[in-house]
Amino acid sequence: MLDVKVECNQTASPKEIQDFVADIDTEVLVGFLAGRQHVPTLHKADTEKPNEKRRGKYVGIDGRDDPQNERAIETAELAKILTFGSANIPARPFIEEGLLSEKEELLKEAEKQTDNARKGQANWAKLGTKAVGAVQKFVRSDYYKTNIPNSSKTIEFKGSDTPLIDGGDLINSLEFVVEGRK
């Protein structure tokens, strides 16, 4: 879990700090909501052999490339597998790396909203939106294509060499939630 602390450049008494922290008690979480089913993508392999049963709709993911295994997968579960890897898939911690890629910009926004919170005007959704955008931008970059590319089997199956993007359902499902006092 990525945990970021924001510095405040103002002086205050310990009591004022305790009161402020109690009032602000807010977290902005970025990830995938459980319960949402991943929408499978029509692959190159599906269009080349349309009369065969749908083959390998989840190629390489824990036995789901077995044509008899048509079990649906939740978007959150798929993201977990892609983040931590499996026997067939290398780890690509895209949420953490995406947030770190825009760390300075996100910290500036967090500091701005922290200052706004003192005035009772925090807009934590703005921070959440920027965080989701940072991860989406990172996934759409060539970072994984260059550093942890898809296997030749996956490229052949998908018809694409872009890791983590297979129709866009996963990355477009990324959301943020503001917990605590808003």
Side-chain angles (χ1 to χ4, degrees):
M1 173 194 265
L2 182 63
D3 194 10
V4 177
K5 305 293 182 199
V6 178
E7 291 183 31
C8 295
N9 296 323
Q10 298 177 4
T11 54
S13 72
K15 174 73 172 126
E16 288 173 320
I17 292 171
Q18 287 174 341
D19 291 345
F20 177 69
V21 169
D23 286 344
I24 200 170
D25 191 22
T26 302
E27 291 181 302
V28 179
L29 308 171
V30 176
F32 299 90
L33 298 177
R36 180 158 194 252
Q37 296 296 308
H38 175 66
V39 178
T41 303
L42 185 66
H43 292 98
K44 180 181 171 187
D46 299 323
T47 58
E48 288 178 354
K49 299 183 181 179
N51 295 329
E52 287 188 21
K53 269 189 138 184
R54 184 170 175 78
R55 303 181 310 139
K57 83 177 176 184
Y58 298 109
V59 68
I61 298 178
D62 302 334
R64 289 186 181 90
D65 54 350
D66 175 353
Q68 303 306 312
N69 188 349
E70 293 292 325
R71 182 171 83 80
I73 187 171
E74 283 190 19
T75 304
E77 181 184 359
L78 177 61
K80 182 178 102 176
I81 293 167
L82 295 173
T83 296
F84 297 106
S86 70
N88 301 316
I89 298 173
R92 295 181 178 104
F94 61 97
I95 294 176
E96 184 173 351
E97 291 179 341
L99 293 172
L100 289 172
S101 73
E102 301 275 335
K103 180 180 176 181
E104 294 305 315
E105 183 66 29
L106 293 172
L107 282 173
K108 285 179 189 173
E109 186 61 38
E111 288 175 2
K112 179 179 175 184
Q113 296 311 322
T114 300
D115 287 339
N116 289 344
R118 284 191 187 93
K119 305 170 200 164
Q121 301 170 350
N123 182 358
W124 297 109
K126 190 169 182 181
L127 177 60
T129 301
K130 283 188 176 209
V132 166
V135 175
Q136 290 174 334
K137 179 180 171 186
F138 181 76
V139 168
R140 290 181 178 119
S141 75
D142 286 339
Y143 177 82
Y144 286 122
K145 190 185 286 191
T146 303
N147 295 296
I148 309 173
N150 281 337
S151 71
S152 57
K153 180 180 177 182
T154 300
I155 293 170
E156 180 183 340
F157 177 76
K158 282 176 41 174
S160 167
D161 64 347
T162 306
L164 300 175
I165 297 180
D166 186 22
D169 181 60
L170 175 75
I171 198 60
N172 290 331
S173 298
L174 188 64
E175 297 185 34
F176 70 89
V177 175
V178 177
E179 287 191 348
R181 298 181 189 175
K182 296 162 179 93

